[in-house]
Amino acid sequence: MSPSCHVALHYFPEVSSDVLRELSGFLFIIHRLKTPSDTVKPRAVVMSEPKAPTPAPGDTYKGWLFKWTNYIKGYQRRWFVLSNGLLSYYRTQAEMGHTCRGTINLATANIAVEDSCNFVISNGGTQTYHLKASSEVERQRWITALELAKAKAVRMQPESDESGDDSTPPASGQGAGSRNSEVQSTLRTLSSKVEDLSTCNDLIAKHGSALQRSLSELEGVRLGGETSEKFRQVTERATLFRITSNAMINACQDFLTLAQTHSKRWQKALQSEREQRVRLEETLEQLAKQHNHLERAFRGATVLPSSQSNPSIDSKGPVPVKGDASDEDDENEFFDACEDVQEFITVPADPKYHRRSGSNVSGISSELGMDDGTTSLDEQSLASNPESPQSQELVPVRKRRSRIPDKPNYSLNLWSIMKNCIGKELSKIPMPVNFNEPLSMLQRLSEDLEYYELLDRGAKCQNSLEQMCYVAAFTVSSYSTTVHRTGKPFNPLLGETFELDRVQESGYRSLCEQVSHHPPAAAHHAISERGWTLRQEIALASKFRGKYLSIMPLGSIHCIFEKSTNHYTWKKVTTTVHNIIVGKLWIDQSGEIDVVNHKTGDRCHLKFAPYSYFSRDVARKVTGVVTDKDGKAHYVLSGTWDEKMEYSRVMQSSRGGENGAEGRQKTVYQTLKAKELWRKTPLPEGAENMYYFSTLALTLNEPEEGVAPTDSRRRPDQRLMEQGRWEEANAEKQRLEEKQRTVRREREREANRTASPSEEALIEDSISDSPLKSGHQDNYTPMWFERLVDPMTGETTHIYKGGYWEAKEQGSWDSCPDIF
């Protein structure tokens, strides 16, 4: 008996049990009405006997399952949701709010168990899910839930046909069918709730009348003073409840009338909206496919020199020619590898921005947060031709060479190398020049200045954000020379230098020196008469992973502009050489770069997308955003590190676009039309026979008078290799390496003789330690650089101390060591 009945018996001992049962039932109904309808059904009130609970049609079952994707990736973990007779799946739980990867209707599906953990769901051929649970118990739970949901979906399916001719014909396609089923299921649920409300309405009216009759019977009972007061209070409350109930019943009747009247209209309107959305999605998908095909057709139709046509294809590595099939079947799920590569979305800005005249440039700049005094250079300054007349003012005083001897086709016997390595220390194994190219690492470092014009144009900018665009394009351009360059540069000897004096031709000159051998590190300093200075110290760390070799440059690069005193720093990304053991070598660049202006706080975040065989995106893609110190975006950069970079001015930005991985929202930038910022210069004719050297690289090892005795041009093994005399080059290379070891041992002995006992023990310990742990252990003082703490970054680095170019003018090289 309920607590309400006990209260009634206490106050009304003479009331009949029938009246109390009516009162208890009515209070029970009121309690049920306070309970959410999806957890307790009002219909359960009329049941005389308790029944085992069963999942309602709206119940859901969620969990992780492994889904078969394809033969390459096998089973992948996916989040599955079973709801209203539909089984849907997502890559992550965060995707449930925006991206459904697939849905299957269980009403027409077959469920088959393969083994203890595997089962298959198929709807007759168009959709088949091969699923695997983590355990047999988990598999059985899913099978039970699926069978129950299928049975309910089959029972409820005939109800979806009741609308007859009034309903809109279902849209074609698998996606539309699943959406129609979802709409029908939702409408069925709403109809069920309306029926429940109608039942509650009838029950309230019934039990309200019973309560009124019971109270009327109680009026004839003689009661005492206290009991009479209690009875009066109950009567007042019953009267108030009756008034409220009547108002609610009238409101419910009005709602039911309106719901029944407009139900079909709402259903048709919802169906129309659903179908319109499906048509829009199909149209967008078709446009995306056409755009993708046009991009591939454009890349395939691009005219390249005959010497580049085949190498450009080979250098891409295993880049496939994707047909339509790769775009049609989303079930293949080939795009996990490149998921969330693009961190933002760009869309065309409002046309009003394009209609601004030249007199409104200052207005645009003010919207971007720029001062009026810094807008003298507009967009045309960014899109100016690299080969402007000013960059060609200086006529070269000498004609540089445009060819080197062709690379000989020497076969490499790996066994001959391996047998000579037996019993030797790894550090003393001479690697043949077959793996090399006839340039040293110092010369490769100087190739960063291939597109120095970008810094020249940046030095003219009065606006730091525009200047940042040039600096960012310069950082990307330094990788364009590595596309086909699978040969390893010569390791510089300790104290080796390389000068690149192009003052008369290009207005700059640079100097590199190998400042450490264990670990290997090179310092570089370049200065231009056009107002910029570039300096860096690069040390390399590598990891061999069997199939590929990752090379991670360590150290920062600094660029300082004299006029504005803007100081930029950044680091290099990881270079990966693939197919080390088997196959054709190919190179990829991947990682992120933050170019920071330490004076203004401006920043450019560049992202080098790693190559993926399954990606629809352009290979070697680079994207970037230029922001000010407050984080406001002003320019968007895009392109590839082997071809070109473009910029777009940002007019507006907002969040809430297409969601990225794990539910992160991408930023949508409204930009002006993209304009070219930098483009790679084509390789010279016959480059495939000359180690794929660029025009600048062909001149780096050209003999030149007046350079230091330690210059890479004077290195004999490198010169012999360039001439095609590889056997002599191997012998000379071994001689130089052994000479370097002898000089180092002598330097260590000299340090031991001059050091105190405690210092001697410290030196011996440092020599025995691993180079990577002990830092610079060469006990060597560079000729032209000194080791200092950089005031901007706080890093210990080698900075040019001067004296080299003065020594060259005087022809005084007496202090240079004899390293060759």
Side-chain angles (χ1 to χ4, degrees), residues 722-738:
E722 180 186 289
Q723 296 171 357
R725 300 155 61 182
W726 284 16
E727 292 184 4
E728 299 175 53
N730 279 322
E732 193 65 20
K733 180 174 180 290
Q734 188 172 357
R735 180 189 69 82
L736 290 175
E737 291 174 351
E738 185 58 37

Side-chain angles (χ1 to χ4, degrees), residues 292-310:
N292 191 23
H293 296 331
L294 288 173
E295 281 188 346
R296 288 203 297 265
F298 173 76
R299 291 198 299 270
T302 303
V303 180
L304 295 176
S306 58
S307 60
Q308 281 188 332
S309 57
N310 293 333

Side-chain angles (χ1 to χ4, degrees), residues 388-519:
S388 59
Q390 189 165 358
S391 63
Q392 296 179 347
E393 291 176 356
L394 301 176
V395 180
V397 295
R398 56 174 292 184
K399 184 178 180 180
R400 303 285 180 179
R401 67 180 184 181
S402 59
R403 291 196 60 84
I404 61 173
D406 289 350
K407 176 182 178 181
N409 188 17
Y410 287 155
S411 60
L412 180 63
N413 189 345
L414 291 177
W415 170 243
S416 63
I417 300 175
M418 297 299 294
K419 69 180 182 180
N420 292 331
C421 297
I422 298 175
K424 294 183 179 180
E425 295 181 15
L426 291 177
S427 61
K428 296 184 179 180
I429 297 174
M431 297 303 294
V433 297
N434 302 59
F435 297 106
N436 288 42
E437 63 180 14
L439 287 179
S440 73
M441 188 62 196
L442 301 180
Q443 291 166 318
R444 285 289 293 268
L445 197 60
S446 301
E447 283 190 67
D448 286 356
L449 299 171
E450 175 100 15
Y451 298 96
Y452 68 93
E453 299 97 338
L454 291 169
L455 297 182
D456 288 349
R457 289 152 60 189
K460 300 176 184 177
C461 288
Q462 298 181 13
N463 183 279
S464 62
L465 294 168
E466 293 180 355
Q467 193 175 71
M468 176 67 81
C469 292
Y470 287 116
V471 176
F474 176 78
T475 65
V476 176
S477 69
S478 63
Y479 296 98
S480 64
T481 60
T482 66
V483 180
H484 314 286
R485 303 277 287 279
T486 57
K488 174 183 174 295
F490 279 79
N491 290 332
L493 303 175
L494 187 61
E496 184 175 336
T497 61
F498 177 74
E499 68 163 73
L500 187 62
D501 191 353
R502 299 295 169 89
V503 172
Q504 295 183 353
E505 303 166 64
S506 306
Y508 73 88
R509 58 187 180 184
S510 77
L511 175 67
C512 294
E513 181 179 2
Q514 187 74 359
V515 295
S516 174
H517 190 65
H518 289 287

Side-chain angles (χ1 to χ4, degrees), residues 345 347-350 353 649-653 668-672:
I345 304 171
V347 296
D350 192 285
Y353 294 110
R649 174 171 284 181
V650 176
M651 294 292 107
Q652 290 182 357
S653 63
V668 179
Y669 295 117
Q670 295 185 9
T671 62
L672 299 180

Side-chain angles (χ1 to χ4, degrees), residues 17 319 411 447 464 623 669 759 767 782 800:
S17 60
V319 179
S411 60
E447 283 190 67
S464 62
T623 55
Y669 295 117
E759 292 175 344
I767 294 172
Y800 178 63

Side-chain angles (χ1 to χ4, degrees), residues 522-536:
H524 180 208
H525 182 272
I527 187 169
S528 173
E529 294 180 341
R530 296 169 188 173
W532 54 265
T533 301
L534 184 76
R535 59 179 173 86
Q536 57 182 320

Side-chain angles (χ1 to χ4, degrees), residues 656-715:
E658 177 186 341
N659 288 353
E662 301 180 359
R664 292 194 302 267
Q665 289 184 327
K666 297 181 180 179
T667 303
V668 179
Y669 295 117
Q670 295 185 9
T671 62
L672 299 180
K673 183 179 179 181
K675 296 185 179 181
E676 187 173 289
L677 190 59
W678 159 77
R679 178 177 290 276
K680 179 186 176 182
T681 304
L683 294 176
E685 184 178 356
E688 68 276 9
N689 299 322
M690 298 183 294
Y691 309 91
Y692 290 102
F693 281 177
S694 64
T695 303
L696 174 64
L698 289 173
T699 66
L700 293 180
N701 204 44
E702 183 177 8
E704 190 169 327
E705 297 295 331
V707 298
T710 55
D711 197 90
S712 299
R713 298 177 181 88
R714 301 183 182 274
R715 184 164 175 163

